[in-house]
């Protein structure tokens, strides 16, 4: 039996493992680049496992494979798929209907929900708010998710250029260029899906286009740690990062940290991750 096909989520987990191994010194530059490239193009789970098997901490990102069926389970599945006799089918349908009708009063009494009524007049239970709250966020500020955003942006707009890109813990905000003779842009948000926030408008101020594809994702996250620890912000945590360019100056990737007391600072870097200036908290 062939290996299982890899999903985008599997590839992202593998890339995160490789990046973490690179940051803590397990991999050199060339090895890291080769493994990331192969992980992003991997088609099967075996390929991803082979790229991370020898890395410390890889178990935390291990790909979960579907468990194979036992012979008894295979026999049961095969039996379920055999055509049944007409009499047995009718009997089964009747029994199912009787069972459902018997459960309706119990469902109605236990939920007490009368906001939705079907064509039969039977009240349906509401969706559990706890179950809805348990759903994971679609975007989190991780290396794999940032790469996913860059792929989605290029696919959606056919470019990696923007007037500004803002990375936040659970979303990305982009000023997307609009084609035309004059500089215009639309504001879009990515949180796992695209949402257009504004229609086309004139670009205000001296901002110029930036290339999001120039961001070194690994060094971005390394610099986030530097900013959190080296800007004199007590218990400072990453708040956002802005990719911007002003008045013909070089493009900047500014990383901001803050705390609950309103204290903040930022680290100014190039898109490639070279630190240009530090702006620590100043009372």
């Amino acid at each position: 039996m062939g290996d299982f096909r890899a999903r985008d989520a599997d590839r992202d987990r593998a890339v995160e493992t490789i990046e973490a191994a690179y940051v803590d010194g397990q991999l050199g530059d060339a090895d890291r680049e080769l493994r990331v490239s192969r992980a992003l193009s991997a088609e099967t789970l075996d390929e991803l496992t082979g790229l991370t098997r020898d890395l410390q901490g890889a178990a935390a990102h291990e790909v979960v494979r579907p468990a194979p069926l036992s012979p008894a389970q295979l026999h049961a599945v095969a039996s379920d798929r055999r055509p049944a006799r007409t009499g047995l089918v009718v009997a089964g349908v009747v029994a199912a209907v009787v069972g459902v009708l018997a459960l309706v009063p119990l469902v109605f009494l236990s939920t007490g929900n009368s906001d939705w009524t079907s064509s039969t007049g039977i009240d349906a239970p509401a969706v559990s708010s706890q179950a809805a709250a348990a759903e994971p966020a679609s975007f989190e500020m991780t290396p794999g998710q940032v790469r996913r955003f860059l792929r989605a942006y290029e696919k959606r707009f056919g470019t990696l250029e923007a007037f500004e890109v803002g990375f936040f813990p659970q979303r990305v905000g982009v000023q997307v260029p609009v084609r035309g003779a004059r500089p215009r842009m639309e504001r879009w948000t990515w949180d796992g899906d695209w949402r257009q926030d504004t229609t086309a408008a004139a670009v205000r101020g001296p901002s110029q286009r930036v290339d999001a594809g120039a961001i070194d994702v690994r060094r971005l996250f390394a610099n986030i740690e530097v900013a959190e620890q080296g800007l004199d912000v007590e218990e400072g945590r990453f708040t956002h990062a802005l990719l911007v360019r002003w008045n013909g100056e070089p493009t900047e990737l500014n990383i901001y940290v803050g705390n609950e007391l309103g204290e903040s600072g930022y680290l100014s870097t190039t898109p490639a991750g070279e630190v240009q200036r530090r702006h620590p908290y100043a009372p």
Side-chain angles (χ1 to χ4, degrees), residues 35-73:
R35 294 194 192 210
V36 168
S37 176
R38 290 181 176 177
L40 291 175
S41 61
E43 296 184 355
T44 66
L45 300 185
D46 270 353
E47 292 178 66
L48 296 177
T49 300
L51 292 169
T52 59
R53 183 184 293 114
D54 62 330
L55 302 178
Q56 296 185 45
H61 300 280
E62 184 178 355
V63 176
V64 178
R65 299 168 177 270
L69 296 177
S70 67
Q73 290 172 317

Side-chain angles (χ1 to χ4, degrees), residues 170-205:
Q170 293 190 335
R171 64 182 176 88
V172 184
V174 194
Q175 294 183 10
V176 181
V178 177
R179 292 180 180 178
R182 297 182 179 181
R184 303 186 187 280
M185 62 84 182
E186 297 172 345
R187 294 182 184 274
W188 289 72
T189 295
W190 166 263
D191 59 5
D193 291 306
W194 286 110
R195 181 180 72 251
Q196 184 173 356
D197 300 316
T198 68
T199 56
V203 176
R204 302 293 183 184

Side-chain angles (χ1 to χ4, degrees), residues 71-229:
Q73 290 172 317
L74 289 172
H75 178 73
V77 171
S79 298
D80 289 341
R81 291 177 178 173
R82 292 172 186 160
R85 294 181 181 178
T86 304
L88 294 177
V89 172
V90 173
V93 171
V94 172
V97 171
V98 172
V100 169
L101 293 176
L103 287 173
V104 166
L106 296 177
V107 172
F108 178 79
L109 291 174
S110 63
T111 60
N113 178 31
S114 58
D115 294 334
W116 181 91
T117 304
S118 70
S119 60
T120 61
I122 300 175
D123 291 330
V127 176
S128 169
S129 59
Q130 293 181 348
E135 295 180 1
S138 298
F139 175 86
E140 292 182 1
M141 188 64 180
T142 66
Q145 290 286 352
V146 169
R147 290 191 178 87
R148 179 187 173 204
F149 156 73
L150 292 172
R151 294 196 299 269
Y153 184 78
E154 186 173 25
K155 181 178 180 181
R156 176 79 186 223
F157 301 105
T159 181
L160 283 171
E161 287 191 337
F163 282 107
E164 180 180 291
V165 183
F167 296 94
F168 299 86
Q170 293 190 335
R171 64 182 176 88
V172 184
V174 194
Q175 294 183 10
V176 181
V178 177
R179 292 180 180 178
R182 297 182 179 181
R184 303 186 187 280
M185 62 84 182
E186 297 172 345
R187 294 182 184 274
W188 289 72
T189 295
W190 166 263
D191 59 5
D193 291 306
W194 286 110
R195 181 180 72 251
Q196 184 173 356
D197 300 316
T198 68
T199 56
V203 176
R204 302 293 183 184
S207 62
Q208 299 182 3
R209 295 193 184 200
V210 296
D211 180 11
I215 297 174
D216 186 318
V217 177
R218 177 191 65 82
R219 296 192 67 178
L220 165 61
F221 281 84
N223 284 331
I224 288 176
E225 293 186 8
V226 171
E228 289 179 335
Q229 299 171 11

